[in-house]
Amino acid sequence: MNATSGTPRQRLVIAITGATGAIYGVRLLEHLRKQGQVETHLMISDAGVLTLHQELDMRRKDVEALADVVHNVRDVGACVASGSFASTGMVVAPCSMKTLASVAHGLSDNLITRAADVVLKERRRLVLMVRETPFNLAHLRNMTSVTEMGGVIFPPLPGFYQRPASLEEMVDHTLGRVLDLFGIASQLTPEWQGLKGSTD
């Protein structure tokens, strides 16, 4: 419940997989916990745990402590595996090419990809923050398939027009754009006011 209004909080399912960019999932959890308006349901793949350690020196339990509810990726009977579990949608941040392929082909081979499949079938918002470069044809075709099913492919490409002063500002600007897709208010992305100054 929302402590200030007494209304139920939005629920957002968040998954962290083994692609580079673990900071996106962690910062997303940090912002939502600080905001307090969204109930987060977290899953971390085994490869995601390795990436968290490699990139951020964080352990699984450190990241899980940022979420409201934690689910084991092997627990395909968890609440997020059912369409009756009401949510605003799901973010995979970051999304590996393996996870992308599994979602694109409807494999539902673990709780992350099953939850993504549920979000798609219930016509809710699925955002995959895919991380790989360069893309091969299989990657591109899988992204097309997910898009055709209603998912959003969101490579976390930094924007420089806001002149970010730090890595955190670049990450937060991208996450603000992601939250906008779910209608979740944040102060992370100032509204674009147009180009300033002379074009000469």
Side-chain angles (χ1 to χ4, degrees):
M1 300 289 284
N2 184 322
T4 58
S5 68
T7 58
R9 293 193 294 169
Q10 290 177 273
R11 290 166 166 169
L12 187 64
V13 180
I14 299 171
I16 297 174
T17 65
T20 185
I23 191 172
Y24 289 102
V26 172
R27 293 287 288 178
L28 180 60
L29 288 164
E30 289 174 344
H31 286 301
L32 292 174
R33 173 165 285 279
K34 181 178 180 180
Q35 184 192 61
Q37 303 301 310
V38 177
E39 178 182 293
T40 55
H41 286 252
L42 174 67
M43 296 162 283
I44 308 174
S45 71
D46 292 341
V49 173
L50 295 175
T51 306
L52 285 164
H53 178 71
Q54 175 68 30
E55 296 183 350
L56 302 174
D57 290 323
M58 295 185 76
R59 294 171 295 177
R60 180 195 294 269
K61 67 178 183 179
D62 300 325
V63 180
E64 291 180 342
L66 298 172
D68 293 300
V69 183
V70 176
H71 302 281
N72 188 304
V73 294
R74 296 175 182 84
D75 183 11
V76 293
C79 59
V80 294
S82 172
S84 65
F85 176 80
S87 73
T88 303
M90 179 175 179
V91 184
V92 183
C95 181
S96 67
M97 292 298 103
K98 178 182 178 181
T99 300
L100 168 68
S102 182
V103 173
H105 293 277
L107 298 184
S108 295
D109 52 348
N110 60 40
L111 185 59
I112 292 174
T113 54
R114 170 58 186 169
D117 188 76
V118 167
V119 167
L120 288 174
K121 79 181 182 70
E122 298 296 329
R123 305 299 191 267
R124 298 170 186 154
R125 180 58 54 88
L126 173 67
V127 176
L128 304 183
M129 299 183 71
V130 296
R131 288 290 296 115
E132 185 60 275
T133 188
F135 296 126
N136 67 32
L137 185 56
H139 302 153
L140 295 169
R141 285 178 171 163
N142 288 335
M143 286 188 271
T144 298
S145 294
V146 170
T147 301
E148 290 173 340
M149 289 187 282
V152 177
I153 301 298
F154 196 115
L157 304 175
F160 296 99
Y161 49 86
Q162 300 287 358
R163 298 190 179 185
S166 66
L167 175 62
E168 287 75 18
E169 284 188 14
M170 285 193 291
V171 169
D172 289 351
H173 181 265
T174 297
L175 292 176
R177 298 277 313 283
V178 168
L179 291 174
D180 286 345
L181 291 172
F182 293 94
I184 298 173
S186 76
Q187 303 300 315
L188 301 178
T189 308
E191 186 174 289
W192 178 243
Q193 300 297 318
L195 295 173
K196 302 291 194 299
S198 171
T199 59
D200 294 336

